[in-house]
Amino acid sequence: MAEIPVEKKSSMTWLWLLLAAILAALLIWWITADEDDADPVLAETAIEADAGADSMPMTLAAILANPQSYIGQEFAGEVSVAGPLTDRGFWVENDGARMFALIIDEPREVEIDINPGQELRISDGMIREGGEVSDVEGVPLDDDTLAVLADQDVFLIVDEDNVEILERP
């Protein structure tokens, strides 16, 4: 019998499978990394959309341009006081826009004295629907204030503790 030399052929299949597995893992990591980067952008966009109607800034002009979309939202900012005043109401102005504001009158040691020409910082004010208003806390509203509120689409209501006088005339 003749002797036939038999050599075992080395197989490189395992190397190709390993490279394919590494490539698949890198591809999955790359796809999921892109999704993680996209989530904060979507979350920020959602927060901005919730912050104001149609992502508009919370300014008096924006509120007056589209009043129904701001009802129930909080307002904070610096405004000027314009006349005429009522017992619990006053006009606020900012960048040419003018809105009626109403104070929630609570017992205080020193009452807040708001006059035309003052600069105010308002925090935690609430945009409310105008018209017939009867559910305001504190002393009942006088006829002048009720008449002004009846003519408004929206108004700003703010607790007197959340009004800071920045500048007096």
Side-chain angles (χ1 to χ4, degrees), residues 68-161:
Q68 294 301 316
S69 61
Y70 286 95
I71 292 173
Q73 293 189 26
E74 288 188 9
F75 175 84
E78 293 183 9
V79 294
S80 301
V81 178
L85 306 178
T86 65
D87 284 351
R88 290 185 42 199
F90 55 97
W91 292 93
V92 293
E93 291 182 340
N94 188 340
D95 295 329
R98 179 177 153 147
M99 180 186 295
F100 193 72
L102 187 66
I103 292 285
I104 296 175
D105 190 24
E106 294 184 356
R108 289 178 56 155
E109 288 181 31
V110 178
E111 291 185 16
I112 190 165
D113 187 23
I114 297 174
N115 295 302
Q118 292 177 328
E119 296 290 322
L120 306 178
R121 179 177 295 129
I122 295 177
S123 59
D124 296 327
M126 180 69 66
I127 306 299
R128 298 218 10 217
E129 186 171 7
E132 297 297 321
V133 178
S134 61
D135 61 342
V136 177
E137 300 173 27
V139 178
L141 300 175
D142 63 291
D143 291 337
D144 292 338
T145 304
L146 289 171
V148 171
L149 290 173
D151 291 337
Q152 304 306 307
D153 291 330
V154 292
F155 68 96
L156 174 66
I157 188 165
V158 63
D159 191 296
E160 62 186 351
D161 289 335

Side-chain angles (χ1 to χ4, degrees), residues 56-66 70 94-99:
M56 292 173 57
M58 178 71 79
T59 63
L60 295 182
I63 295 167
L64 294 173
N66 193 3
Y70 286 95
N94 188 340
D95 295 329
R98 179 177 153 147
M99 180 186 295

